[in-house]
């Protein structure tokens, strides 16, 4: 069986000028050259088109098409040149052994162990003190950088801004009245005065839902929390803190859009599906003499996702 | 006149046989000694199998990221200060938005080529991470991570982690409704770490969510700190590659002691520069025709607002999928809570996977007892256990990635969301368990079939005048590297001489 | 559905011990399979349709509005403001409406439109008395009624079987049994502010319908439909009446706010500008990821196949 010598690799340093390895790979170099030339011309026209499109402030897709197209044609031409017109090879190169001789390795180790180790051995006490000082330099560099980054959490995560008598307002600051909502309605509420603040939106956000026309008790021990069928739950999902804005009024479920935890609105927002581990905290409500909806107190537990200090 | 000028310039030196280039080389070499190393460098041979191009996709999409990113830094304002938007997109007019969001919208609508640069930047990031994963799979399945390239494998894994992190930080910068939800989730994940979680979250974000310093810190991490680390690691990655030389598949003329392919100059440089333009071109065309991350439609982030169908970008998808399917097991007693439903899917699971990835070269070397140097690659079918294990892990991660789209799947398939989730929970176990044996047996089959995976010669069917059909194999093309296998006499004795001298393996029969 | 059993098991889910875990996981699995369709039919909130539209807030879809017009008998003919005008269907259509009702609706909803119990479930074919013309018109003109398959958990949008006049006729007849609200709305989009609408949409609608209005799956085979092909007045009807699992927006949104949302939906949601190129279905990062990987990395890998060698 004949071996195709043209496929045997040759070394670059020893190749002769008339070697077929230096010939282009294309059978028809002239034709290929013309095709590459067309690609380069297309690239130049396209990129010139991009410059023109930029000057006349053309739409984004025209800018992108000319820019991307120009680069693409340029790439095709250049790759084709390298692949079909340049020396076809293949070429070979010997791998030189990376590792040094044992003698060289020994001398390197000797420098470290004997010269360096000798120094430390003679002055062990100083070496220890040096190590201690460098360690403290490290601590001095890192600790202020990290500690100054932010405030200590302290009790921030344990309370919201809801207090006894706080009015429930919507995002425009309007107080919610009992006659506002029908059964099956939902509105996002905040403590009055906090609807525009970052903390108000991030921590105090609450959903107010009317599930009945009569007073509603969602759990034992929560009598009086749901006057006239209005119940309020923290909008922060107990899984990862996404706002639980998705309410299905017939299934009576609050579904979290992030990871699809489903909370039973009629039963203390207990999650009956999905990864949320705890029910949404319920805000005890009351209705004042004028019919406005107000909170009885803050939430009875921290809102939002779990954390170490949360009992 | 010209003689005077030329003699003044050259002071008696001539240009010699190589013209001005030779002159320049002389000057440089006198000062830096570049000539000898230069010739070696230009002669460097690169094996150019197509699967070695996958890493180049990653490298060149990173170049596109840097170039488009520089453009974006001139227009984006990394500030959480609230302003009233009065720009050219009317549905936002009068709304209170952060300066980060407003500057991103202005960049998209009022800066020429701004939207194109933003879209190219985002598409390029998706392609960058995708190419890293595909390249990593190629390295894994061909065993290129073995000695002496374990350190390069480690560097590559670090690059993957940093690319994912930087992508998340980057798409969170415009502070729109969709990415802002992701930041909220990141805060909660940080908060959930046992013992130090609340401190970690408050320190990194500068206080309780949303935090005063979130956007500026994400910005500086995204444009300075992480790209510098990535550049350093890419430099190390390429340095190791050049120093140890690239691996190659076994074939005619290829041994453990040589490299066969195309020389650096001019062939490889032309092809690789051309590939850079191809990558940039494809990214440019995607940026032109496919809209990505339309932040003006999403609106500004507001902690009380949310959209449905808010998956993260694809490379974070496996984390989102894990969070969705993980059951709601939370552990609390003794006055403390460990939110296992957060910690396990988002910290423990990627921790295990990446630790396994980092440790794989050491593990494989221990289990196979193989401590030799390898410069020749394996065909994946030659190592069925490794290939099957890799395929199973990839299948597992892919199932988690699909699990992040449960709502979209339920919507398109008109299925119950609840049953899709349960199906994903089951598939997460079943798919990898099935993938392993299937891949294993496929690999074994490929080993057994001679010439499998190689290009086959065609049969030419001719009809004779008499009406007979005759089939004959067509003549093999001279460019077809594969030769017909012939039975060879197996040597009974192989003598290995001094391995430090190349090509010194003698075979005796 | 026995909710206390639900509650007992689910509290155990939170404080996990192994055997309780196995029990509750099995229970949750069966619950998911069974409870979904059952909850839809057993839901007590179907009674919502009987409570009628209630809010005392002015200019929120009830006759408590700026301009009220009554007929000789004192029935409300129209009311509204310069944001939305609500009109009663003409009483001349009542006879036609009765005939159409008997033809198309009576088999399920009963000859007197007070609902039919099916297997003892009161909510299966709801009582229509007092629901108001907007509710009847919405369900008919969106093609959801007459129901193509009454066994479906959620009726899908179709081309309507009755034309606009016929739908109004049925609404007129149902309304004649017991007058209800709201009436048939006509939004005045020229007076609407699209930017306010965008902000309200993000707060109230995006959690179910997605911020781009593509719709998405909700719990147990319910879903929020796409908002792409809906005429403006039907958007008002849906918002004000809260069809199916969609919450009702009554006093928490004024007519001006509803008009703003409708303008946003009919312009930006239904005709997005998409300056960046193809909209990719408005599905966000899911579609982008598939395109980036399949087309981006895919095409580049194919190009790499061309640039490199085969063996």
């Amino acid at each position: 069986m004949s071996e195709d010598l043209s496929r045997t690799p040759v070394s670059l340093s020893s190749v002769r000028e008339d070697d077929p390895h230096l010939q282009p790979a294309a059978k028809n170099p002239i034709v290929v050259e013309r095709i590459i030339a067309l690609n380069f011309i297309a690239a130049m026209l396209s990129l010139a088109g991009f410059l023109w499109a930029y000057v006349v402030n053309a739409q984004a897709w025209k800018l992108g098409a000319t820019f991307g197209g120009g680069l693409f044609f340029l790439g095709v031409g250049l790759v084709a040149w390298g692949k079909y017109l340049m020396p076809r090879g293949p070429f070979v190169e010997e791998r030189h052994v990376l590792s040094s001789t044992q003698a060289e390795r020994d001398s390197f180790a000797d420098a470290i162990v004997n010269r360096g180790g000798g120094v430390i051995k003679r002055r062990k006490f100083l070496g220890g003190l040096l190590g201690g000082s460098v360690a403290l330099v490290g601590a001095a560099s890192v600790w202020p950088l990290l500690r100054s980054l932010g405030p200590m959490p302290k009790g921030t995560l344990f309370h919201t801004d809801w207090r006894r008598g706080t009015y429930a307002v919507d995002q425009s600051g309007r107080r919610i009245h009992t006659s506002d909502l029908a059964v099956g309605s939902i509105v996002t509420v905040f403590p009055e005065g906090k609807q525009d603040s970052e903390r108000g939106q991030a921590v105090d956000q609450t959903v107010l839902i009317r599930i009945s026309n009569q007073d509603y008790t969602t759990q034992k021990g929560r009598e009086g929390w749901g006057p006239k069928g209005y119940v309020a739950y923290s909008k922060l999902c107990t899984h990862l803190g996404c706002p639980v804005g998705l309410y299905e009024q017939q299934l009576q479920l609050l579904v979290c859009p992030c990871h699809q935890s489903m909370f039973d609105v009629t039963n203390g927002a207990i999650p009956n599906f999905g990864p949320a581990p705890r029910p949404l905290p319920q805000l005890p409500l009351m209705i004042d003499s004028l019919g406005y909806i107000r909170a009885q107190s803050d939430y009875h537990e921290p809102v939002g996702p779990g954390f170490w200090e949360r009992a | 006149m010209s003689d005077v000028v030329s003699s003044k310039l050259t002071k008696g030196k001539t240009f010699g046989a190589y013209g001005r280039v030779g002159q320049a080389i002389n000057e440089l070499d006198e000062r830096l000694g570049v000539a000898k190393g230069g010739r070696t460098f230009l002669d460097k041979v690169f094996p150019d199998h197509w699967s070695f191009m996958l890493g180049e996709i990653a490298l060149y999409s990173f170049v596109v990221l840097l170039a488009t990113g520089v453009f974006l830094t001139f227009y984006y304002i990394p500030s959480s200060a609230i302003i009233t938007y009065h720009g050219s997109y009317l549905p936002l007019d009068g709304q209170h938005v952060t300066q980060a969001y407003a500057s991103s919208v202005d960049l998209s609508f009022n800066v020429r080529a701004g939207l194109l640069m933003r879209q190219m930047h985002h598409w390029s990031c998706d392609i960058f991470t995708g190419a890293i994963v595909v390249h990593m799979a190629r390295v894994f399945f061909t065993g290129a991570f073995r000695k002496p390239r374990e350190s390069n494998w480690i560097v590559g894994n670090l690059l993957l982690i940093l690319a994912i992190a930087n992508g998340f930080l980057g798409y969170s910068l415009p502070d729109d409704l969709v990415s802002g939800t992701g930041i909220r989730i990141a805060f909660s994940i940080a908060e959930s770490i046992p013992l130090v979680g609340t401190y970690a979250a408050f320190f990194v974000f500068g206080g309780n969510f949303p935090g005063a310093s979130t956007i500026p810190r994400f910005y500086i991490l995204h444009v300075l700190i992480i790209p510098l680390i990535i550049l350093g690691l890419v430099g190390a990655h390429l340095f190791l590659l050049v120093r140890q030389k690239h691996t190659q598949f076994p074939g005619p003329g290829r041994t453990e002691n040589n490299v066969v392919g195309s020389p650096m100059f001019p062939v490889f440089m032309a092809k690789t520069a051309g590939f850079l333009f191809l990558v940039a071109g494809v990214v440019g065309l995607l940026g032109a025709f496919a809209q990505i991350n339309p932040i003006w439609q999403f609106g500004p982030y507001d902690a009380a607002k949310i959209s449905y169908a808010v998956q993260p970008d694809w490379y974070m998808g496996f984390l989102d999928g894990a969070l969705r399917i993980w059951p709601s097991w939370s552990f609390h007693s003794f006055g403390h809570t460990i939110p296992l439903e957060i910690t396990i899917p988002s910290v423990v699971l990627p921790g295990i996977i990446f630790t396994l990835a980092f440790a794989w070269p050491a593990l494989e070397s221990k289990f196979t007892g193989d401590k030799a140097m390898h410069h020749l690659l394996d065909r994946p079918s030659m190592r069925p256990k490794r290939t099957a294990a890799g395929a199973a892990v990839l299948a597992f991660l892919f199932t988690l990635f699909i699990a992040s789209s449960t709502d979209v799947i339920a919507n398109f398939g008109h299925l119950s969301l609840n049953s899709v989730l349960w199906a994903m929970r089951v598939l997460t176990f079943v798919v990898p368990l099935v993938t392993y044996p299937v891949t294993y047996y496929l690999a074994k089959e490929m080993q057994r079939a001679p010439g499998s995976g190689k290009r086959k010669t065609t049969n030419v069917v001719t009809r004779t005048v008499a009406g007979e059909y005759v089939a004959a194999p067509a003549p093999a093309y001279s460019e077809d590297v594969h030769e017909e296998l012939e039975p060879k006499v197996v040597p009974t004795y192989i003598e290995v001489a001094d391995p430090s001298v190349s090509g010194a393996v003698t075979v005796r029969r | 559905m026995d909710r206390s059993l639900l509650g007992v098991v689910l509290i155990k889910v939170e404080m996990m011990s192994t055997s309780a875990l196995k029990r509750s996981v099995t229970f949750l699995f069966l619950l998911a399979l069974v409870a979904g369709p059952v909850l839809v039919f057993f839901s007590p909130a179907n009674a919502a349709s009987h409570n009628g539209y209630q809010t005392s807030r002015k200019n929120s879809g009830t006759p408590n509005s700026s301009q009220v017009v009554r007929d000789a008998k004192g029935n409300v003919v129209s009311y509204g403001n310069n944001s939305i005008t609500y009109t009663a269907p003409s009483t001349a259509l009542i006879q036609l409406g009765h005939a159409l009702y008997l033809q198309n609706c009576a088999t399920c909803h009963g000859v007197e439109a007070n609902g039919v119990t099916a297997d003892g479930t009161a909510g299966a074919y709801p009582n229509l008395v007092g629901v108001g013309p907007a509710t009847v018109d919405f369900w008919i003109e969106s093609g959801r009624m007459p129901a193509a398959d009454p066994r479906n958990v959620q009726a899908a949008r179709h081309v309507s079987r009755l034309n606009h006049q016929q739908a109004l006729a049925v609404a007129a007849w149902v309304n004649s049994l017991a007058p209800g609200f709201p009436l048939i709305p006509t939004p005045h989009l020229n007076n609407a502010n699209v930017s306010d609408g965008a902000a309200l949409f993000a707060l109230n609608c995006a959690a179910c319908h997605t911020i781009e209005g593509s719709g998405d799956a909700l719990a147990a085979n319910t879903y929020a439909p796409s908002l792409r092909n809906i005429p403006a007045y039907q958007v008002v009807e849906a918002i004000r009446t809260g069809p199916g699992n969609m919450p009702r927006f009554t006093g928490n949104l004024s007519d001006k706010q509803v008009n703003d949302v409708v303008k946003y939906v009919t312009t930006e949601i239904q005709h997005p500008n998409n300056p960046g190129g193809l909209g990719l279905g408005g599905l966000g990062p899911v579609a982008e990821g598939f395109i980036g990987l399949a087309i981006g990395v895919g095409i580049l890998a194919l190009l790499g196949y061309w640039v490199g060698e085969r063996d």
Side-chain angles (χ1 to χ4, degrees), chain A residues 2-16:
Chain A
S2 64
E3 232 186 79
D4 193 349
L5 283 168
S6 68
R7 299 305 299 162
T8 312
V10 305
S11 165
L12 264 170
S13 42
S14 62
V15 67
R16 295 194 320 269

PDB file of all heavy atoms in Angstrom, chain A residues 2-16:
ATOM      1  N   SER A   2       0.602   2.136  -0.927  1.00  0.00           N
ATOM      2  CA  SER A   2       1.488   3.304  -1.037  1.00  0.00           C
ATOM      3  C   SER A   2       1.135   4.318   0.039  1.00  0.00           C
ATOM      4  O   SER A   2      -0.021   4.544   0.367  1.00  0.00           O
ATOM      5  CB  SER A   2       1.323   3.931  -2.417  1.00  0.00           C
ATOM      6  OG  SER A   2       0.010   4.419  -2.543  1.00  0.00           O
ATOM      7  N   GLU A   3       2.153   4.918   0.582  1.00  0.00           N
ATOM      8  CA  GLU A   3       1.925   5.959   1.595  1.00  0.00           C
ATOM      9  C   GLU A   3       1.954   7.288   0.895  1.00  0.00           C
ATOM     10  O   GLU A   3       2.809   7.562   0.067  1.00  0.00           O
ATOM     11  CB  GLU A   3       3.038   5.884   2.630  1.00  0.00           C
ATOM     12  CG  GLU A   3       2.515   5.807   4.035  1.00  0.00           C
ATOM     13  CD  GLU A   3       3.650   5.879   5.046  1.00  0.00           C
ATOM     14  OE1 GLU A   3       4.119   6.997   5.291  1.00  0.00           O
ATOM     15  OE2 GLU A   3       4.065   4.821   5.509  1.00  0.00           O
ATOM     16  N   ASP A   4       1.018   8.120   1.225  1.00  0.00           N
ATOM     17  CA  ASP A   4       0.959   9.435   0.611  1.00  0.00           C
ATOM     18  C   ASP A   4       1.989  10.310   1.311  1.00  0.00           C
ATOM     19  O   ASP A   4       1.781  10.795   2.432  1.00  0.00           O
ATOM     20  CB  ASP A   4      -0.448   9.998   0.778  1.00  0.00           C
ATOM     21  CG  ASP A   4      -0.646  11.210  -0.099  1.00  0.00           C
ATOM     22  OD1 ASP A   4       0.351  11.715  -0.648  1.00  0.00           O
ATOM     23  OD2 ASP A   4      -1.794  11.658  -0.220  1.00  0.00           O
ATOM     24  N   LEU A   5       3.127  10.514   0.652  1.00  0.00           N
ATOM     25  CA  LEU A   5       4.204  11.233   1.312  1.00  0.00           C
ATOM     26  C   LEU A   5       3.840  12.671   1.605  1.00  0.00           C
ATOM     27  O   LEU A   5       4.413  13.299   2.487  1.00  0.00           O
ATOM     28  CB  LEU A   5       5.475  11.195   0.437  1.00  0.00           C
ATOM     29  CG  LEU A   5       6.219   9.869   0.493  1.00  0.00           C
ATOM     30  CD1 LEU A   5       7.269   9.798  -0.593  1.00  0.00           C
ATOM     31  CD2 LEU A   5       6.859   9.683   1.860  1.00  0.00           C
ATOM     32  N   SER A   6       2.886  13.203   0.813  1.00  0.00           N
ATOM     33  CA  SER A   6       2.566  14.604   1.039  1.00  0.00           C
ATOM     34  C   SER A   6       1.898  14.815   2.402  1.00  0.00           C
ATOM     35  O   SER A   6       1.769  15.931   2.871  1.00  0.00           O
ATOM     36  CB  SER A   6       1.644  15.123  -0.062  1.00  0.00           C
ATOM     37  OG  SER A   6       0.386  14.495   0.066  1.00  0.00           O
ATOM     38  N   ARG A   7       1.431  13.712   3.051  1.00  0.00           N
ATOM     39  CA  ARG A   7       0.796  13.888   4.342  1.00  0.00           C
ATOM     40  C   ARG A   7       1.766  13.693   5.485  1.00  0.00           C
ATOM     41  O   ARG A   7       1.416  13.858   6.634  1.00  0.00           O
ATOM     42  CB  ARG A   7      -0.372  12.882   4.507  1.00  0.00           C
ATOM     43  CG  ARG A   7      -1.460  13.046   3.464  1.00  0.00           C
ATOM     44  CD  ARG A   7      -2.012  14.435   3.422  1.00  0.00           C
ATOM     45  NE  ARG A   7      -2.621  14.807   4.692  1.00  0.00           N
ATOM     46  CZ  ARG A   7      -2.886  16.045   5.074  1.00  0.00           C
ATOM     47  NH1 ARG A   7      -2.565  17.046   4.288  1.00  0.00           N
ATOM     48  NH2 ARG A   7      -3.447  16.289   6.221  1.00  0.00           N
ATOM     49  N   THR A   8       2.983  13.284   5.190  1.00  0.00           N
ATOM     50  CA  THR A   8       3.942  13.111   6.278  1.00  0.00           C
ATOM     51  C   THR A   8       4.445  14.481   6.705  1.00  0.00           C
ATOM     52  O   THR A   8       4.857  15.285   5.876  1.00  0.00           O
ATOM     53  CB  THR A   8       5.130  12.277   5.795  1.00  0.00           C
ATOM     54  OG1 THR A   8       4.616  11.134   5.125  1.00  0.00           O
ATOM     55  CG2 THR A   8       5.985  11.854   6.958  1.00  0.00           C
ATOM     56  N   PRO A   9       4.443  14.737   7.985  1.00  0.00           N
ATOM     57  CA  PRO A   9       4.868  16.077   8.426  1.00  0.00           C
ATOM     58  C   PRO A   9       6.356  16.295   8.209  1.00  0.00           C
ATOM     59  O   PRO A   9       7.155  15.373   8.334  1.00  0.00           O
ATOM     60  CB  PRO A   9       4.535  16.077   9.916  1.00  0.00           C
ATOM     61  CG  PRO A   9       3.762  14.839  10.184  1.00  0.00           C
ATOM     62  CD  PRO A   9       3.961  13.913   9.079  1.00  0.00           C
ATOM     63  N   VAL A  10       6.738  17.516   7.878  1.00  0.00           N
ATOM     64  CA  VAL A  10       8.160  17.864   7.758  1.00  0.00           C
ATOM     65  C   VAL A  10       8.452  18.995   8.727  1.00  0.00           C
ATOM     66  O   VAL A  10       7.573  19.722   9.153  1.00  0.00           O
ATOM     67  CB  VAL A  10       8.538  18.306   6.325  1.00  0.00           C
ATOM     68  CG1 VAL A  10       8.144  17.248   5.332  1.00  0.00           C
ATOM     69  CG2 VAL A  10       7.904  19.616   6.002  1.00  0.00           C
ATOM     70  N   SER A  11       9.712  19.121   9.046  1.00  0.00           N
ATOM     71  CA  SER A  11      10.113  20.167   9.987  1.00  0.00           C
ATOM     72  C   SER A  11      10.376  21.450   9.223  1.00  0.00           C
ATOM     73  O   SER A  11      10.886  21.438   8.108  1.00  0.00           O
ATOM     74  CB  SER A  11      11.367  19.714  10.731  1.00  0.00           C
ATOM     75  OG  SER A  11      11.946  20.816  11.371  1.00  0.00           O
ATOM     76  N   LEU A  12      10.006  22.574   9.819  1.00  0.00           N
ATOM     77  CA  LEU A  12      10.158  23.869   9.158  1.00  0.00           C
ATOM     78  C   LEU A  12      11.614  24.231   8.936  1.00  0.00           C
ATOM     79  O   LEU A  12      11.968  24.920   7.980  1.00  0.00           O
ATOM     80  CB  LEU A  12       9.504  24.960  10.017  1.00  0.00           C
ATOM     81  CG  LEU A  12       8.081  25.326   9.623  1.00  0.00           C
ATOM     82  CD1 LEU A  12       7.463  26.220  10.674  1.00  0.00           C
ATOM     83  CD2 LEU A  12       8.076  26.019   8.275  1.00  0.00           C
ATOM     84  N   SER A  13      12.458  23.792   9.855  1.00  0.00           N
ATOM     85  CA  SER A  13      13.853  24.219   9.736  1.00  0.00           C
ATOM     86  C   SER A  13      14.558  23.486   8.616  1.00  0.00           C
ATOM     87  O   SER A  13      15.558  23.956   8.096  1.00  0.00           O
ATOM     88  CB  SER A  13      14.574  23.998  11.063  1.00  0.00           C
ATOM     89  OG  SER A  13      14.199  22.755  11.608  1.00  0.00           O
ATOM     90  N   SER A  14      14.002  22.330   8.225  1.00  0.00           N
ATOM     91  CA  SER A  14      14.735  21.541   7.236  1.00  0.00           C
ATOM     92  C   SER A  14      14.019  21.435   5.902  1.00  0.00           C
ATOM     93  O   SER A  14      14.419  20.692   5.033  1.00  0.00           O
ATOM     94  CB  SER A  14      14.997  20.136   7.780  1.00  0.00           C
ATOM     95  OG  SER A  14      13.743  19.511   8.001  1.00  0.00           O
ATOM     96  N   VAL A  15      12.925  22.162   5.723  1.00  0.00           N
ATOM     97  CA  VAL A  15      12.151  21.996   4.505  1.00  0.00           C
ATOM     98  C   VAL A  15      12.831  22.721   3.340  1.00  0.00           C
ATOM     99  O   VAL A  15      13.374  23.812   3.501  1.00  0.00           O
ATOM    100  CB  VAL A  15      10.717  22.504   4.725  1.00  0.00           C
ATOM    101  CG1 VAL A  15      10.703  24.015   4.930  1.00  0.00           C
ATOM    102  CG2 VAL A  15       9.808  22.099   3.610  1.00  0.00           C
ATOM    103  N   ARG A  16      12.792  22.088   2.141  1.00  0.00           N
ATOM    104  CA  ARG A  16      13.409  22.711   0.984  1.00  0.00           C
ATOM    105  C   ARG A  16      12.409  23.609   0.295  1.00  0.00           C
ATOM    106  O   ARG A  16      11.201  23.436   0.443  1.00  0.00           O
ATOM    107  CB  ARG A  16      13.905  21.629   0.022  1.00  0.00           C
ATOM    108  CG  ARG A  16      15.020  20.779   0.585  1.00  0.00           C
ATOM    109  CD  ARG A  16      15.697  19.974  -0.517  1.00  0.00           C
ATOM    110  NE  ARG A  16      14.747  19.442  -1.481  1.00  0.00           N
ATOM    111  CZ  ARG A  16      14.165  18.239  -1.395  1.00  0.00           C
ATOM    112  NH1 ARG A  16      14.475  17.450  -0.380  1.00  0.00           N
ATOM    113  NH2 ARG A  16      13.313  17.830  -2.311  1.00  0.00           N
TER     114      ARG A  16
END
